[in-house]
Amino acid sequence: MEWLKANNELIPLSWFEQMRSNTPVSFNEEYNNWDAFRYEDIKAMFTNHEVFSSQLNDTVREPIDASILFLDPPKHRQLRMLVSRAFTPQVIEALGPKITAISHELCDQIEQRGSMDVVHDFASPLPMIVIAEMLGIPAADRLQFREWSIALVGNDYEAFVACQQEMSEYFTAIANDRRTAPQQDLISSLVHTHVDGEQLTDLEIIGFCVLLLVAGNETTTNLISSSMLCFDSERDARDQLMADPSLFPQAIEEVLRYCSPVQVTSRKVKQATELRGHLLLPGQQINIWVGSANHDPDVFESPNTFNIHRSSNPHLAFGHGIHFCLGAQLARLESRIALRILFERFPNFRRDQRMTLERADSTMIFGLKSLPFFIA
């Protein structure tokens, strides 16, 4: 990948390789936490919630702390059952025509301008519109949604806290409205659904809406933009996709592996445990470097080579186990439809290499601030 060779800080593959080889489990004394880099360890941690807890805080500090992302069983099971009804395969596949229509509308606007910033003109608005319509959010509020979404995954803690307060007020008002005047949207469903005789609390509803903005928006935005960046750089892969669009699903899986949208996540140690000769103590946090796991040579042959024909691709981009991403099917569907339409509408696309690629201000997420393309 020429773009990665020119700026290894975009995805620090050389650092990942060094850490996997020399200190696959390392301790950071300043922060009193651990880092893990190898696939085998990370996959095991995803499944062992008895030792490695998703509940990082003892008390709910922010609404997202009340979401399924940061809960362990049995509460996780109950909430996931409630919200998963909106993400069944049948429900997701039914969104195909709407995703197609939105993609063409965005391409019409791009065509009129004569150029495209993949991030701002297409990859960002597409999932934002889809998620907003699923939730039942007015079109006028979509720009605010985008600002919140950026703040949720960024490195600015004050902005992170402020946006959750704003979102709490926003979604509380909508939830209250849906209780008396339900509509055909996800928030109405969350407000009125029961599992085991219980309903979601206001905090849990807000937490899920906050999570959906990140999981349903940022992941897909960065998957689409990373795909266009990879396909532009790897001309053979691009030509093969042009000739045979049926290759898109497996090509997208390779993008998920190579440019994992979520680069790092965390767990809290619940009970003392040993990992590669190190004693991890209760209360300590361990950072799980998914981006490194997906380039582990013990699992992936020639891991730093982008190969859309990779025969075995058990990447961990969507996690593993009980926390496997609820929106994975939606992200894959949106990306598959979006990329095929971009290839059809703009077959001569090419990146404007005069513009320097800059990674978005987020350690957790890999995404680009901007990605200008010529379309003719």
Side-chain angles (χ1 to χ4, degrees), residues 70-235:
F70 294 109
L71 293 176
D72 296 326
K75 190 64 175 178
H76 173 272
R77 180 196 64 81
Q78 183 188 47
L79 292 193
R80 187 161 178 125
M81 285 178 63
L82 277 168
V83 300
S84 65
R85 296 175 183 178
F87 290 87
T88 64
Q90 295 80 5
V91 170
I92 298 305
E93 286 299 324
L95 292 172
K98 180 174 288 293
I99 295 169
T100 299
I102 296 169
S103 297
H104 278 296
E105 288 173 10
L106 293 172
C107 286
D108 290 342
Q109 297 169 17
I110 291 167
E111 207 166 48
Q112 291 176 2
R113 284 191 296 269
S115 62
M116 168 175 59
D117 185 311
V118 176
V119 175
H120 297 286
D121 299 334
F122 191 91
S124 174
L126 172 62
M128 183 60 67
I129 294 170
V130 172
I131 292 300
E133 292 195 2
M134 287 180 70
L135 288 170
I137 301 304
D141 295 341
R142 290 173 187 163
L143 183 58
Q144 178 63 72
F145 261 43
R146 179 57 184 162
E147 293 175 0
W148 283 334
S149 181
I150 293 171
L152 284 169
V153 300
N155 293 329
D156 186 334
Y157 182 70
E158 290 185 2
F160 172 82
V161 173
C163 86
Q164 293 209 60
Q165 177 60 40
E166 294 170 4
M167 293 176 72
S168 294
E169 296 171 2
Y170 182 87
F171 284 118
T172 296
I174 293 180
N176 289 336
D177 176 74
R178 296 301 193 270
R179 286 190 177 94
T180 56
Q183 300 180 19
Q184 296 298 314
D185 58 41
L186 182 52
I187 293 180
S188 296
S189 176
L190 294 175
V191 165
H192 293 282
T193 297
H194 293 73
V195 167
D196 297 337
E198 294 188 29
Q199 289 180 282
L200 288 174
T201 66
D202 283 352
L203 186 61
E204 289 165 348
I205 292 170
I206 295 166
F208 178 71
C209 292
V210 173
L211 173 61
L212 198 57
L213 268 185
V214 178
N217 175 43
E218 285 299 320
T219 300
T220 307
T221 292
N222 297 324
L223 175 54
I224 293 171
S225 55
S226 293
S227 295
M228 291 294 285
L229 179 61
C230 290
F231 300 153
D232 176 76
S233 183
E234 298 293 319
R235 308 299 289 191

Side-chain angles (χ1 to χ4, degrees), residues 15-26 34-47 52 263-265 275-278 286-300 303 314-316 320:
W15 180 63
F16 288 159
E17 183 175 358
Q18 176 185 347
M19 298 305 288
R20 283 194 308 267
S21 299
N22 301 329
T23 51
V25 176
S26 63
W34 298 86
D35 293 279
F37 295 90
R38 285 190 180 170
Y39 183 101
E40 179 185 7
D41 299 333
I42 289 172
K43 184 176 181 180
M45 281 186 277
F46 274 137
T47 58
F52 299 100
Q263 287 284 297
V264 61
T265 186
L275 184 61
R276 294 193 182 272
H278 299 280
I286 183 162
N287 299 316
I288 298 175
W289 288 93
V290 177
S292 173
N294 285 341
H295 285 265
D296 192 330
D298 289 344
V299 179
F300 304 98
H315 64 75
L316 301 174
H320 186 70

